[in-house]
Amino acid sequence: MERFDVLIVGGGPAGLGAALILGRCRREVLVCDAGTPRNAPARGIHGLLGHDGLPPAELLRRGREEARRYGVTIRDVEVCDVRRCEHGFEAELADGGRVEARKVVLATGMLDVIPAIEGILTYYGRGVYHCPICDGWECRDQPIGVLGPARRARRAALSLLRWSDDILVFTHGPAALTDDDRRLFEKHRIGLREAPIQRLEGDGEALARVVLSDGEVVPRRAIFLKTGEVPRSDLPTKLGCKINGDGTTEAEFHGSTESEGVFVVGDASPRVQLVSVAQAEGAAAAVRINAILQEEDLSLR
């Protein structure tokens, strides 16, 4: 059975960020990636210094290339299970392989809940977004919608006023708003539509309008989803990590969890979900892991 110092589950910015540092520390590292990055539909990454607007696939290509320069092994395979063993951890891979590692980094991320609305996948990443910090600038001064339960959408709608003064909340059904909530919407001129959305329309490249079940057609150039997210993997639970109410895994900035030897970084951690933050978390975890491994190595001499 192959043995590594560190197994990294997930090859996004967080996983590759950890791999790059650990490779430079001359650690034996295996990155396993299932090949379904969360931000794949996005046209470009924003807020990453020196790489603003770079397509997500290109960032991963460069990251893999850089990590491999330092001896990191990268495999396009899903990790089905990880369990503790005598030498640390044993992982079962989807291709039937098994590997052992002294430490495990879970960079497994989250999955966005996408409503089953006609046209939403057509414009996903090109008019339908999640994060105003990531994509608000590209939608500035345009008519913007927020889709989600009223109380969750309220906060997003208020934040989007930084980019546009034409904000409309779609609750896709009856809105559970208090009178105070409605007065807040009125004060800031935030519109509200409770009729279910029938479909999204545009020219195939850019979103143009929202068609409601009552026949109303509402011009919108962007829709921000506030429909929730769920963990992509159950490995944190299997390995005894503490799971927060929002589905993220409780972890320190350097990735340490309640489960010894298990580190969680990136979107699955409870911090800001930005590529720049994910990469930083991976790097911070790598520094901590290398220090722990060094202490273990020196104690054996």
Side-chain angles (χ1 to χ4, degrees):
M1 184 180 297
E2 291 182 279
R3 292 180 172 84
F4 296 87
D5 290 319
V6 185
L7 166 64
I8 300 175
V9 185
L16 290 175
L20 181 62
I21 299 297
L22 288 166
R24 288 179 55 81
C25 292
R26 307 187 75 178
R27 296 296 177 184
E28 294 294 326
V29 181
L30 171 64
V31 177
C32 291
D33 184 65
T36 54
R38 184 182 190 183
N39 64 352
R43 291 175 171 173
I45 294 168
H46 298 292
L48 184 62
L49 190 63
H51 297 291
D52 194 71
L54 187 72
E58 177 61 14
L59 180 70
L60 297 186
R61 186 196 67 78
R62 294 182 188 183
R64 284 184 168 212
E65 182 180 284
E66 290 171 356
R68 283 178 169 137
R69 290 179 198 163
Y70 301 103
V72 172
T73 301
I74 301 175
R75 295 178 185 167
D76 295 316
V77 63
E78 181 182 359
V79 176
C80 300
D81 195 19
V82 179
R83 62 181 69 89
R84 293 187 183 274
C85 66
E86 181 182 357
H87 301 291
F89 300 90
E90 180 181 325
E92 179 181 337
L93 310 184
D95 61 5
R98 292 177 181 273
V99 298
E100 286 187 354
R102 296 163 65 184
K103 309 297 176 189
V104 172
V105 176
L106 300 179
T108 46
M110 302 289 283
L111 282 174
D112 297 302
V113 176
I114 303 174
I117 295 173
E118 182 182 346
I120 200 166
L121 294 179
T122 300
Y123 297 102
Y124 195 52
R126 57 183 68 189
V128 177
Y129 310 108
H130 292 277
C131 173
I133 299 296
C134 299
D135 297 293
W137 172 264
E138 283 66 37
C139 309
R140 65 194 184 280
D141 302 322
Q142 298 292 319
I144 296 175
V146 181
L147 171 58
R151 298 306 296 273
R152 184 182 295 167
R154 181 186 67 172
R155 182 176 180 181
L158 291 169
S159 70
L160 280 162
L161 291 172
R162 296 297 310 157
W163 291 277
S164 174
D165 59 6
D166 186 355
I167 306 296
L168 187 61
V169 170
F170 298 92
T171 57
H172 199 45
L177 286 173
T178 66
D179 289 342
D180 287 342
D181 291 331
R182 292 181 185 274
R183 281 192 288 270
L184 185 67
F185 275 29
E186 184 177 349
K187 175 183 177 181
H188 295 286
R189 299 180 181 178
I190 295 172
L192 175 66
R193 296 293 187 275
E194 299 182 58
I197 296 175
Q198 188 174 74
R199 63 183 178 274
L200 304 183
E201 293 182 343
D203 64 2
E205 288 296 322
L207 178 66
R209 54 196 164 269
V210 178
V211 180
L212 302 180
S213 61
D214 61 6
E216 183 182 7
V217 178
V218 186
R220 293 292 103 174
R221 296 306 301 270
I223 297 289
F224 284 84
L225 300 182
K226 293 302 167 186
T227 46
E229 59 186 21
V230 295
R232 182 182 289 271
S233 171
D234 63 356
L235 290 179
T237 300
K238 286 184 176 181
L239 288 168
C241 299
K242 179 182 177 181
I243 308 301
N244 298 315
D246 61 358
T248 61
T249 302
E250 188 60 38
E252 301 296 332
F253 178 71
H254 50 66
S256 298
T257 68
E258 290 188 347
S259 183
E260 185 178 355
V262 178
F263 297 76
V264 173
V265 296
D267 286 357
S269 78
R271 276 165 291 280
V272 176
Q273 295 182 350
L274 291 173
V275 169
S276 54
V277 175
Q279 182 177 342
E281 286 185 20
V287 171
R288 177 62 177 153
I289 291 167
N290 182 64
I292 294 172
L293 291 175
Q294 182 173 326
E295 290 179 5
E296 294 176 357
D297 293 340
L298 291 177
S299 69
L300 297 176
R301 291 185 180 180

